[in-house]
Amino acid sequence: MENLQKNNNIIIIRMDELIHWVMKRIIWILLAGALLAAAGGYYASRMKSTPMYRTSTKLYVTGVQTFAPSTGNFALGRQVINSYMEIMKSRPVLEEVITNLGLNMSSQQLKNCISARVLGDTCMLEVTLSFPEPEWAKKTLDELVVSSAEYAFEIMGCTPPTVFEESVVPTAPYNTFVPPVMKYALLGGVAGVALAGFLVLVLYFLNTKFDTPGKAEDKLSVPVWGVLPKEEKFKQGARDAFVSRLSYEAGDAKLLSFVRATAKENTYDVMSQIVLGLREVGKKVICIDTNLSNPLWSMMTKGAEATKGLSEYLTGAAEKKDIVCKTEGEPDKILCGAKVLNSGELLKSPAFGALLAQLKEEYDYIFLDVPPVQYGMDAFVVTEAAEKVLWVLSAKKTKTYVAKNVKKSMDVKEITTDGLVLSGLSVRRGGGFFKKKYGTYVGIYRK
């Protein structure tokens, strides 16, 4: 089940890693939900509405003055009643009511307080009026009935409607209720969890770090040979696991180049860790710094005493015995030496090939520290001479989009990357998920 992967135009999602990413941040998601739930509950508890009082009256509308009900009267009433409702809500009638009672409101505001409905299949009309004050609710409704009747007579010649149920002064407001605090709190909590969850997912898909071996394999389509964790307690097991994988994958190959995307990745630290593991199984290893065009790119040369190195050997200024550094507790190594401008030419020279051939007779493995692929062509020259190519990725420093661009460049040069080494990864932060899924990379199950 699959992390976001773009390989050509294919997108794969690792659901297990996505779920792990979300679960690691579940406390923040729940905290966001709790905060918005509290905000929603507080808002509901502070909600206040103006008390409104409602009263109603019922009218019998026929449009004719008679005491003898007939089919004709009912038919006329059905025709008149809709027109009467429109007249009741018309601006002239409402303005007359406002003027007569001295109300401080507009005709539209008063209209919003009025509702009317026909009672079934009859000529009976129920008119309801809502008002902030109970006494004025009755007064206003009564005045509305009188004014609308007069105006209807002027317009249509209709007789006044018969009031068969008078309005009364309401005793209690109809809109006072306990705000639904729990409802608003629940809505706020759900909104908070949803928003925080969405942001966590966005951060997951925008994450540009190689924070799991699976993500490194997905992004670059290259198998991970080993992980060198940040925690000291896991390094021994990680070295053992890598040495086992290297012995199987490398076969008879002795010459291995370690490439990197930028100068930020510390390839020498990775090589040193691997050398420690190989020494434990009796293997002899030498590391060579090939950063001839810019020694500052190399962590191997940084801090070392000035000495002759590979550039002096390739230019004939030094012999092999003068450039091999042997320091107690460190791998045998050859530094890059003085900076040269024709580094690519020297690395392609027969002298470099001859040096590698001699070293193969003395060492079980030769590790080449390759210049950053992003900055020059020397990396391609060195990797072409290697028997196996390993790519060093830093969990904190290597960006996925940079690595993918470098991979494209290597594919153009038809350089095959045999494996990945992921360094600086925090196993502890991955918790049980990392141990369960990637424990073999750091030798957890060997303890």
Side-chain angles (χ1 to χ4, degrees), residues 313-330:
Y313 175 83
L314 296 179
T315 55
E319 297 182 6
K320 173 177 162 292
K321 63 181 178 64
D322 300 323
I323 62 174
V324 177
C325 302
K326 298 187 177 184
T327 305
E328 185 68 27
E330 292 188 20

Side-chain angles (χ1 to χ4, degrees), residues 225-377:
W225 280 19
V227 173
L228 296 181
K230 183 171 66 174
E231 294 87 358
E232 194 66 36
K233 62 179 290 187
F234 296 118
K235 286 186 177 179
Q236 177 66 51
R239 290 196 295 266
D240 293 345
F242 183 83
V243 168
S244 297
R245 181 72 180 264
L246 180 65
S247 301
Y248 174 76
E249 298 286 357
D252 296 331
K254 289 188 172 185
L255 188 58
L256 281 68
S257 66
F258 289 76
V259 300
R260 50 190 165 145
T262 67
K264 295 180 180 180
E265 293 86 358
N266 190 344
T267 49
Y268 181 61
D269 181 63
V270 172
M271 291 190 298
S272 298
Q273 291 292 325
I274 297 172
V275 169
L276 288 176
L278 289 171
R279 279 180 173 178
E280 291 175 356
V281 294
K283 300 296 183 181
K284 192 176 180 182
V285 188
I286 187 171
C287 300
I288 303 177
D289 185 355
T290 64
N291 292 274
L292 304 185
S293 60
N294 192 342
L296 295 177
W297 287 339
S298 173
M299 296 300 293
M300 186 190 306
T301 298
K302 187 174 293 185
E305 295 182 4
T307 182
K308 293 181 179 180
L310 182 62
S311 60
E312 284 79 10
Y313 175 83
L314 296 179
T315 55
E319 297 182 6
K320 173 177 162 292
K321 63 181 178 64
D322 300 323
I323 62 174
V324 177
C325 302
K326 298 187 177 184
T327 305
E328 185 68 27
E330 292 188 20
D332 291 358
K333 56 189 174 183
I334 297 176
L335 304 182
C336 63
K339 178 180 178 179
V340 295
L341 298 179
N342 61 336
S343 56
E345 181 181 342
L346 291 176
L347 293 170
K348 286 182 178 179
S349 66
F352 185 52
L355 174 64
L356 296 178
Q358 292 179 52
L359 293 174
K360 281 185 179 181
E361 299 296 325
E362 303 176 28
Y363 293 91
D364 296 300
Y365 290 102
I366 302 169
F367 289 172
L368 302 177
D369 184 7
V370 179
V373 176
Q374 192 180 33
Y375 301 142
M377 298 298 294

Side-chain angles (χ1 to χ4, degrees), residues 123-309:
C123 296
M124 298 177 184
L125 178 66
E126 181 181 45
V127 183
T128 302
L129 185 136
S130 301
F131 216 71
E133 299 176 14
E135 294 83 3
W136 282 96
K138 174 176 171 51
K139 288 182 181 180
T140 304
L141 182 56
D142 292 344
E143 182 64 28
L144 178 65
V145 172
V146 173
S147 297
S148 60
E150 292 175 356
Y151 201 73
F153 179 76
E154 294 177 8
I155 299 297
M156 299 187 299
C158 296
T159 57
T162 302
V163 179
F164 68 90
E165 184 177 295
E166 294 186 354
S167 62
V168 296
V169 177
T171 58
Y174 70 88
N175 64 332
T176 56
F177 59 93
V178 178
V181 175
M182 292 302 297
K183 175 182 177 182
Y184 278 78
L186 179 61
L187 290 176
V190 171
V193 169
L195 179 60
F198 174 75
L199 292 177
V200 167
L201 290 177
V202 170
L203 291 176
Y204 172 81
F205 290 115
L206 294 179
N207 179 29
T208 60
K209 296 179 179 178
F210 291 104
D211 43 17
T212 65
K215 186 174 184 179
E217 291 181 340
D218 287 345
K219 292 290 185 181
L220 303 174
S221 299
V222 179
V224 174
W225 280 19
V227 173
L228 296 181
K230 183 171 66 174
E231 294 87 358
E232 194 66 36
K233 62 179 290 187
F234 296 118
K235 286 186 177 179
Q236 177 66 51
R239 290 196 295 266
D240 293 345
F242 183 83
V243 168
S244 297
R245 181 72 180 264
L246 180 65
S247 301
Y248 174 76
E249 298 286 357
D252 296 331
K254 289 188 172 185
L255 188 58
L256 281 68
S257 66
F258 289 76
V259 300
R260 50 190 165 145
T262 67
K264 295 180 180 180
E265 293 86 358
N266 190 344
T267 49
Y268 181 61
D269 181 63
V270 172
M271 291 190 298
S272 298
Q273 291 292 325
I274 297 172
V275 169
L276 288 176
L278 289 171
R279 279 180 173 178
E280 291 175 356
V281 294
K283 300 296 183 181
K284 192 176 180 182
V285 188
I286 187 171
C287 300
I288 303 177
D289 185 355
T290 64
N291 292 274
L292 304 185
S293 60
N294 192 342
L296 295 177
W297 287 339
S298 173
M299 296 300 293
M300 186 190 306
T301 298
K302 187 174 293 185
E305 295 182 4
T307 182
K308 293 181 179 180

